[in-house]
Amino acid sequence: MAKAKNFKCPECRGKLFEEKNSNEEAISTCLKCKNDIPNYIGFRMDYMTFDDALEEWWSLKREKEEEEIEEVVKTYVSEDEYRKKDY
Ligand SMILES: [Zn+2]
């Protein structure tokens, strides 16, 4: 648990975070809403303002939701195929 004045969660504006290292990118978990926030968004690296970070966060979330929807569609299709074989 750490506190840095420049971390700001784009989801709930929380300032407390826990560092989490994945192989691919540096991520911090917001201790308030438990979202995993990529560091470049949470710490607003380089040019980013908080508004930029929010925009980036929302587009990330949209991508993730679209991936989840695709997963559901895939599952649905395979169940459908499974049933066809069964009956
Ligand atoms: Zn948060």
Side-chain angles (χ1 to χ4, degrees), residues 25-41:
E25 57 181 334
I27 288 172
S28 296
T29 305
C30 172
L31 292 178
K32 202 170 163 190
C33 67
K34 308 292 179 202
N35 271 293
D36 289 335
I37 315 293
N39 284 348
Y40 77 96
I41 293 177

Side-chain angles (χ1 to χ4, degrees), residues 2-19:
K3 193 178 180 179
K5 56 184 168 186
N6 58 351
F7 178 81
K8 195 172 185 183
C9 172
E11 185 70 28
C12 68
R13 297 179 185 230
K15 291 193 161 118
L16 290 172
F17 67 97
E18 192 162 32
E19 273 181 53

Side-chain angles (χ1 to χ4, degrees), residues 15-70:
K15 291 193 161 118
L16 290 172
F17 67 97
E18 192 162 32
E19 273 181 53
K20 186 175 169 181
N21 292 314
S22 77
N23 294 328
E24 286 178 12
E25 57 181 334
I27 288 172
S28 296
T29 305
C30 172
L31 292 178
K32 202 170 163 190
C33 67
K34 308 292 179 202
N35 271 293
D36 289 335
I37 315 293
N39 284 348
Y40 77 96
I41 293 177
F43 295 96
R44 300 180 309 285
M45 300 205 168
D46 304 328
Y47 54 89
M48 277 190 153
T49 64
F50 188 62
D51 280 345
D52 288 337
L54 277 180
E55 217 167 277
E56 191 69 24
W57 173 241
W58 285 107
S59 70
L60 266 187
K61 281 183 79 166
R62 257 197 308 275
E63 270 173 35
K64 214 174 162 190
E65 273 164 21
E66 275 161 21
E67 273 169 29
E68 275 161 19
I69 289 167
E70 273 171 32

